[in-house]
Amino acid sequence: MTPRRVKLHELYREVEALGGATECAEDRAYNKAICDVLQTLRASGFGDGYYVDQREHENRQRRGAWRALEAAE
């Protein structure tokens, strides 16, 4: 398996998609582990449509500061 770069919100969706049917005890344990990972990610601010990576956050701050400067002129 070759490593690939993926945005964190896409990784969240991929992990979320790993959950499946709960037919046996092994499946239930697997799904519980997936739910635990998703819960940890959500507690850190991840989720579909919610997470903004650091670079984007900084870009938004710069744009906001630029607009404030333009409005002050």
Side-chain angles (χ1 to χ4, degrees), residues 20-54:
T22 56
E23 297 296 324
C24 65
E26 184 177 312
D27 290 341
R28 285 189 292 276
Y30 174 81
N31 284 332
K32 181 173 180 348
I34 294 296
C35 288
D36 291 345
V37 168
L38 291 172
Q39 181 179 359
T40 301
L41 290 173
R42 281 191 295 270
S44 299
F46 292 89
D48 195 18
Y50 294 105
Y51 179 74
V52 177
D53 65 12
Q54 185 62 34

Side-chain angles (χ1 to χ4, degrees), residues 52-71:
V52 177
D53 65 12
Q54 185 62 34
R55 183 175 293 160
E56 178 62 21
H57 179 69
E58 291 166 357
N59 287 338
R60 288 180 184 183
Q61 284 183 326
R62 266 189 240 114
R63 280 182 278 179
W66 182 258
R67 287 183 189 133
L69 286 173
E70 286 179 338

